[in-house]
Every structure is written in structure tokens, then in C-alpha cells.
Amino acid sequence: MPEPVIHAENLVKTYRSKGQPEVVAVGGLSFEVAPGESFGLLGPNGAGKSTTMKMIGAVSTRTAGELSILGLDPDRYGPEIRSRLGVVPQQDNLDGELNARENLFIYGRYFGLPAKACHAKADELLAFAQLEDKAKSKVDQLSGGMKRRLTIARGLVNDPRILLLDEPTTGLDPQARHVLWDRLFRLKERGTTLVLTTHYMDEAEQLCDRLIVVDKGRIMAEGSPSALIREYSTREVLEVRFGASRNDEVAPQLQGLGERVEVLPDRILIYAEDGEAVLERVIAEGLEPITSLVRRSSLEDVFLRLTGRSLIE
């Protein structure tokens, strides 16, 4: 097995304010990331994902545990590690006074790259981000998806070994998200290691080779998206709606029709290997839902199984 580019063992981060009890943001995470892997941290807001990313990015010291990035301790070799990382923060922080090309050029100069190399790299990354026709446009003239692609391109200026992406598609429309996913797929094909946080289940399934599900600073599950779905859910899920006032009333009559029944505020989920067969049984029992949907299991179902609540909060 290749040497991991990230190794964390019992990683802990706590915060303490005067007169306040200690807050545990990360409570003992252990994981490894292999070179060229796309690794995800999946969890709700406040789960400790961004805090973990800050420790990996060598901008926040750990409270306890072991952490190695590219074979180095981030608490001792922060500048060396940061020079080999690319970072895409949760909020775009592009310079609005500069155009798209200038944002890339200036950022390259921050890394000490020669001006000629920065010009060439800026052109290369504009092409990669499909922003060649926006090279001279000010940041404020770009759409949200374009700004996100430019932020990712900027994170690649120094040819990083690892690219850290914190909630890369938050706030984007579906079309912009798919364009962004395509750019990230291309990075994977080039062998760049991707580490991303997200609370979008479909994004994790699309992008991650492997992931950890984090809640309240602890790992709830680890594995590939497909392996987690096989382990914690059924092949299919039947979603039925009887109306908010009737769901709780009808739920007991649905027990036993599938492997598990989950009652949500707006619908009831019945987990089964054959959702259509279960729907036929529901109708045969005289229980006619207002709407019904048979779908494959997803990572959201995994999270419901692990925590009993919706992943997106």
C-alpha cells in the first residue's frame, strides 16, 4: 500500500472560553487518505468537518492526537505543508478589484512563482475552469458557478499534492454543480488527491472514493458510498405520503411490510429490497397514499439509520 498523504489518529480539537464549559469540536477522529484518492467528510452543519479541514490545512493546531500531512507534522511544519496544498474555502474570497486572470496571476506570485510562469499558469487554469472568455471580467461580473470554478482554479496555482475543498458547491444551481463536478473528476484523473467536506449526499456519492460520516465530532461510519449503503440500508426505499396529519396514524399498519420503517414529518420511508412489491402490499391493505415513490437507497438513508435525523439541517 502507498504511504498515506494524510494520517490522523485520535485527532481531537476542543475550544474553551473563559467561564464556559469546554466545547469538543472534534472528538477523536482516526482515518487515512491515500495518494490520488477522493476522500470525503460527510455530516451536518456543526459536525466538525470544517474544523478538521483547518487542522489538515495547517491553520489550526490540534488539541490531542496524531496528525501527519505529506509525512509532516502540521503543528511544526505549517508553512512547508501549506506550500504543497490547494485550498478552496467554503466562501469565495476572490479579489473583487481584479479580473479573473489577475486573481490567478497574483495568487501565483504569493507562492513565489516567476511572473512568466504565473502568466502561463493563469492561462492554463482559465482553460481548465472553462473561463477563457471571462479572463478580463471583474469577479463581480461572474455568476456563482463561475466564481466557484475560479476559486478552484486559484487553488491549483501551485500544483498542489492535495486539494482541500470545503463545501465546494453550496449555493449553486444543479447545472453549475454538474459543471463543477466535471472539473473535479478531471483533477482526479490527473492524480490529484481531493479532500472535501459536504452535507450533500448526492455530491458525496458522485465525487468520493471513500468517506467518513461525522456527527458531533465523531466518526459514525467509514467506507465507500456503495459499501456504506449496502451495510446500513436496503437496495430500495419506498416513500409514501398520507398527509402530515395521518402519517403517524398509518405508520403502525406499515410495520412488517419492509425491513424497517422510518417516519419523517412529511413522509414515511419503508426500506425493502423490492420497493414496488411493498407498494403493492400497501395498496392491498387498503392504505392508499397521496403520493408514492420507489427509489434506490442513498447516503441520506445511511445517515438516518445512524443518527435518526436528516443530514441536511
Side-chain angles (χ1 to χ4, degrees), residues 84-106:
R84 299 159 74 182
L85 299 180
V87 178
V88 179
Q90 193 171 117
Q91 300 294 329
D92 293 325
N93 56 356
L94 299 163
D95 192 326
E97 298 298 314
L98 304 178
N99 63 34
R101 194 175 190 280
E102 289 167 343
N103 265 275
L104 299 176
F105 176 83
I106 295 297

Side-chain angles (χ1 to χ4, degrees), residues 19-54:
Q20 299 294 324
E22 184 178 73
V23 175
V24 179
V26 176
L29 301 187
S30 297
F31 60 90
E32 290 186 339
V33 180
E37 185 175 29
S38 181
F39 182 81
L41 290 87
L42 182 66
N45 294 329
K49 308 185 304 296
S50 294
T51 301
T52 301
M53 291 286 270
K54 288 178 181 177

